[in-house]
mmCIF file with all atom_site columns, all heavy atoms in Angstrom:
data_model
loop_
_atom_site.group_PDB
_atom_site.id
_atom_site.type_symbol
_atom_site.label_atom_id
_atom_site.label_alt_id
_atom_site.label_comp_id
_atom_site.label_asym_id
_atom_site.label_entity_id
_atom_site.label_seq_id
_atom_site.pdbx_PDB_ins_code
_atom_site.Cartn_x
_atom_site.Cartn_y
_atom_site.Cartn_z
_atom_site.occupancy
_atom_site.B_iso_or_equiv
_atom_site.pdbx_formal_charge
_atom_site.auth_seq_id
_atom_site.auth_comp_id
_atom_site.auth_asym_id
_atom_site.auth_atom_id
_atom_site.pdbx_PDB_model_num
ATOM 1  N N   . ILE B 1 39 ? -0.074 1.146  -4.860  1.00 98.00 ? 39 ILE B N   1
ATOM 2  C CA  . ILE B 1 39 ? 0.453  2.126  -3.916  1.00 98.00 ? 39 ILE B CA  1
ATOM 3  C C   . ILE B 1 39 ? 1.374  3.104  -4.644  1.00 98.00 ? 39 ILE B C   1
ATOM 4  O O   . ILE B 1 39 ? 2.262  2.678  -5.385  1.00 98.00 ? 39 ILE B O   1
ATOM 5  C CB  . ILE B 1 39 ? 1.295  1.423  -2.819  1.00 98.00 ? 39 ILE B CB  1
ATOM 6  C CG1 . ILE B 1 39 ? 0.525  0.289  -2.166  1.00 98.00 ? 39 ILE B CG1 1
ATOM 7  C CG2 . ILE B 1 39 ? 1.795  2.417  -1.786  1.00 98.00 ? 39 ILE B CG2 1
ATOM 8  C CD1 . ILE B 1 39 ? -0.639 0.730  -1.352  1.00 98.00 ? 39 ILE B CD1 1
ATOM 9  N N   . MET B 1 40 ? 1.186  4.401  -4.420  1.00 98.00 ? 40 MET B N   1
ATOM 10 C CA  . MET B 1 40 ? 2.112  5.411  -4.922  1.00 98.00 ? 40 MET B CA  1
ATOM 11 C C   . MET B 1 40 ? 3.198  5.572  -3.862  1.00 98.00 ? 40 MET B C   1
ATOM 12 O O   . MET B 1 40 ? 2.920  5.969  -2.729  1.00 98.00 ? 40 MET B O   1
ATOM 13 C CB  . MET B 1 40 ? 1.409  6.743  -5.147  1.00 98.00 ? 40 MET B CB  1
ATOM 14 C CG  . MET B 1 40 ? 2.316  7.836  -5.665  1.00 98.00 ? 40 MET B CG  1
ATOM 15 S SD  . MET B 1 40 ? 2.922  7.579  -7.338  1.00 98.00 ? 40 MET B SD  1
ATOM 16 C CE  . MET B 1 40 ? 1.401  7.664  -8.260  1.00 98.00 ? 40 MET B CE  1
ATOM 17 N N   . GLN B 1 41 ? 4.445  5.246  -4.252  1.00 97.00 ? 41 GLN B N   1
ATOM 18 C CA  . GLN B 1 41 ? 5.566  5.303  -3.322  1.00 97.00 ? 41 GLN B CA  1
ATOM 19 C C   . GLN B 1 41 ? 6.569  6.361  -3.776  1.00 97.00 ? 41 GLN B C   1
ATOM 20 O O   . GLN B 1 41 ? 6.775  6.569  -4.968  1.00 97.00 ? 41 GLN B O   1
ATOM 21 C CB  . GLN B 1 41 ? 6.270  3.950  -3.250  1.00 97.00 ? 41 GLN B CB  1
ATOM 22 C CG  . GLN B 1 41 ? 5.437  2.871  -2.632  1.00 97.00 ? 41 GLN B CG  1
ATOM 23 C CD  . GLN B 1 41 ? 6.146  1.545  -2.624  1.00 97.00 ? 41 GLN B CD  1
ATOM 24 O OE1 . GLN B 1 41 ? 5.683  0.602  -3.254  1.00 97.00 ? 41 GLN B OE1 1
ATOM 25 N NE2 . GLN B 1 41 ? 7.251  1.454  -1.920  1.00 97.00 ? 41 GLN B NE2 1
ATOM 26 N N   . TYR B 1 42 ? 7.192  7.013  -2.810  1.00 95.00 ? 42 TYR B N   1
ATOM 27 C CA  . TYR B 1 42 ? 8.251  7.977  -3.079  1.00 95.00 ? 42 TYR B CA  1
ATOM 28 C C   . TYR B 1 42 ? 9.520  7.223  -3.426  1.00 95.00 ? 42 TYR B C   1
ATOM 29 O O   . TYR B 1 42 ? 9.899  6.267  -2.746  1.00 95.00 ? 42 TYR B O   1
ATOM 30 C CB  . TYR B 1 42 ? 8.476  8.856  -1.850  1.00 95.00 ? 42 TYR B CB  1
ATOM 31 C CG  . TYR B 1 42 ? 9.646  9.795  -1.981  1.00 95.00 ? 42 TYR B CG  1
ATOM 32 C CD1 . TYR B 1 42 ? 9.577  10.894 -2.819  1.00 95.00 ? 42 TYR B CD1 1
ATOM 33 C CD2 . TYR B 1 42 ? 10.813 9.573  -1.279  1.00 95.00 ? 42 TYR B CD2 1
ATOM 34 C CE1 . TYR B 1 42 ? 10.650 11.758 -2.940  1.00 95.00 ? 42 TYR B CE1 1
ATOM 35 C CE2 . TYR B 1 42 ? 11.895 10.430 -1.392  1.00 95.00 ? 42 TYR B CE2 1
ATOM 36 C CZ  . TYR B 1 42 ? 11.799 11.523 -2.233  1.00 95.00 ? 42 TYR B CZ  1
ATOM 37 O OH  . TYR B 1 42 ? 12.875 12.367 -2.352  1.00 95.00 ? 42 TYR B OH  1
ATOM 38 N N   . MET B 1 43 ? 10.207 7.652  -4.489  1.00 93.00 ? 43 MET B N   1
ATOM 39 C CA  . MET B 1 43 ? 11.462 7.013  -4.892  1.00 93.00 ? 43 MET B CA  1
ATOM 40 C C   . MET B 1 43 ? 12.648 7.863  -4.416  1.00 93.00 ? 43 MET B C   1
ATOM 41 O O   . MET B 1 43 ? 13.362 7.471  -3.526  1.00 93.00 ? 43 MET B O   1
ATOM 42 C CB  . MET B 1 43 ? 11.501 6.813  -6.405  1.00 93.00 ? 43 MET B CB  1
ATOM 43 C CG  . MET B 1 43 ? 10.337 5.969  -6.932  1.00 93.00 ? 43 MET B CG  1
ATOM 44 S SD  . MET B 1 43 ? 10.114 4.392  -6.104  1.00 93.00 ? 43 MET B SD  1
ATOM 45 C CE  . MET B 1 43 ? 11.507 3.493  -6.689  1.00 93.00 ? 43 MET B CE  1
ATOM 46 N N   . GLN B 1 47 ? 10.635 12.110 -7.601  1.00 95.00 ? 47 GLN B N   1
ATOM 47 C CA  . GLN B 1 47 ? 10.098 10.983 -8.368  1.00 95.00 ? 47 GLN B CA  1
ATOM 48 C C   . GLN B 1 47 ? 9.279  10.036 -7.488  1.00 95.00 ? 47 GLN B C   1
ATOM 49 O O   . GLN B 1 47 ? 9.691  9.681  -6.384  1.00 95.00 ? 47 GLN B O   1
ATOM 50 C CB  . GLN B 1 47 ? 11.241 10.222 -9.035  1.00 95.00 ? 47 GLN B CB  1
ATOM 51 C CG  . GLN B 1 47 ? 11.967 11.063 -10.066 1.00 95.00 ? 47 GLN B CG  1
ATOM 52 C CD  . GLN B 1 47 ? 13.028 10.274 -10.798 1.00 95.00 ? 47 GLN B CD  1
ATOM 53 O OE1 . GLN B 1 47 ? 13.086 9.058  -10.693 1.00 95.00 ? 47 GLN B OE1 1
ATOM 54 N NE2 . GLN B 1 47 ? 13.862 10.961 -11.541 1.00 95.00 ? 47 GLN B NE2 1
ATOM 55 N N   . PHE B 1 48 ? 8.144  9.660  -8.027  1.00 96.00 ? 48 PHE B N   1
ATOM 56 C CA  . PHE B 1 48 ? 7.239  8.717  -7.386  1.00 96.00 ? 48 PHE B CA  1
ATOM 57 C C   . PHE B 1 48 ? 6.962  7.588  -8.370  1.00 96.00 ? 48 PHE B C   1
ATOM 58 O O   . PHE B 1 48 ? 7.083  7.775  -9.574  1.00 96.00 ? 48 PHE B O   1
ATOM 59 C CB  . PHE B 1 48 ? 5.925  9.405  -7.000  1.00 96.00 ? 48 PHE B CB  1
ATOM 60 C CG  . PHE B 1 48 ? 6.085  10.438 -5.929  1.00 96.00 ? 48 PHE B CG  1
ATOM 61 C CD1 . PHE B 1 48 ? 6.490  11.734 -6.251  1.00 96.00 ? 48 PHE B CD1 1
ATOM 62 C CD2 . PHE B 1 48 ? 5.836  10.129 -4.609  1.00 96.00 ? 48 PHE B CD2 1
ATOM 63 C CE1 . PHE B 1 48 ? 6.651  12.699 -5.270  1.00 96.00 ? 48 PHE B CE1 1
ATOM 64 C CE2 . PHE B 1 48 ? 5.995  11.091 -3.616  1.00 96.00 ? 48 PHE B CE2 1
ATOM 65 C CZ  . PHE B 1 48 ? 6.398  12.373 -3.948  1.00 96.00 ? 48 PHE B CZ  1
ATOM 66 N N   . ALA B 1 49 ? 6.573  6.450  -7.871  1.00 97.00 ? 49 ALA B N   1
ATOM 67 C CA  . ALA B 1 49 ? 6.237  5.323  -8.736  1.00 97.00 ? 49 ALA B CA  1
ATOM 68 C C   . ALA B 1 49 ? 5.080  4.544  -8.109  1.00 97.00 ? 49 ALA B C   1
ATOM 69 O O   . ALA B 1 49 ? 4.962  4.456  -6.886  1.00 97.00 ? 49 ALA B O   1
ATOM 70 C CB  . ALA B 1 49 ? 7.435  4.407  -8.918  1.00 97.00 ? 49 ALA B CB  1
ATOM 71 N N   . THR B 1 50 ? 4.242  3.992  -8.970  1.00 97.00 ? 50 THR B N   1
ATOM 72 C CA  . THR B 1 50 ? 3.151  3.146  -8.507  1.00 97.00 ? 50 THR B CA  1
ATOM 73 C C   . THR B 1 50 ? 3.622  1.698  -8.503  1.00 97.00 ? 50 THR B C   1
ATOM 74 O O   . THR B 1 50 ? 4.131  1.204  -9.499  1.00 97.00 ? 50 THR B O   1
ATOM 75 C CB  . THR B 1 50 ? 1.919  3.295  -9.415  1.00 97.00 ? 50 THR B CB  1
ATOM 76 O OG1 . THR B 1 50 ? 1.520  4.664  -9.438  1.00 97.00 ? 50 THR B OG1 1
ATOM 77 C CG2 . THR B 1 50 ? 0.767  2.447  -8.910  1.00 97.00 ? 50 THR B CG2 1
ATOM 78 N N   . HIS B 1 51 ? 3.473  1.052  -7.359  1.00 97.00 ? 51 HIS B N   1
ATOM 79 C CA  . HIS B 1 51 ? 3.810  -0.364 -7.212  1.00 97.00 ? 51 HIS B CA  1
ATOM 80 C C   . HIS B 1 51 ? 2.528  -1.103 -6.853  1.00 97.00 ? 51 HIS B C   1
ATOM 81 O O   . HIS B 1 51 ? 1.625  -0.536 -6.233  1.00 97.00 ? 51 HIS B O   1
ATOM 82 C CB  . HIS B 1 51 ? 4.833  -0.574 -6.098  1.00 97.00 ? 51 HIS B CB  1
ATOM 83 C CG  . HIS B 1 51 ? 6.157  0.049  -6.387  1.00 97.00 ? 51 HIS B CG  1
ATOM 84 N ND1 . HIS B 1 51 ? 7.191  -0.637 -6.964  1.00 97.00 ? 51 HIS B ND1 1
ATOM 85 C CD2 . HIS B 1 51 ? 6.604  1.309  -6.183  1.00 97.00 ? 51 HIS B CD2 1
ATOM 86 C CE1 . HIS B 1 51 ? 8.225  0.165  -7.113  1.00 97.00 ? 51 HIS B CE1 1
ATOM 87 N NE2 . HIS B 1 51 ? 7.897  1.363  -6.635  1.00 97.00 ? 51 HIS B NE2 1
#
Side-chain angles (χ1 to χ4, degrees):
I39 308 292
M40 180 68 65
Q41 293 178 243
Y42 174 72
M43 302 308 289
Q47 295 184 12
F48 293 83
T50 302
H51 295 266

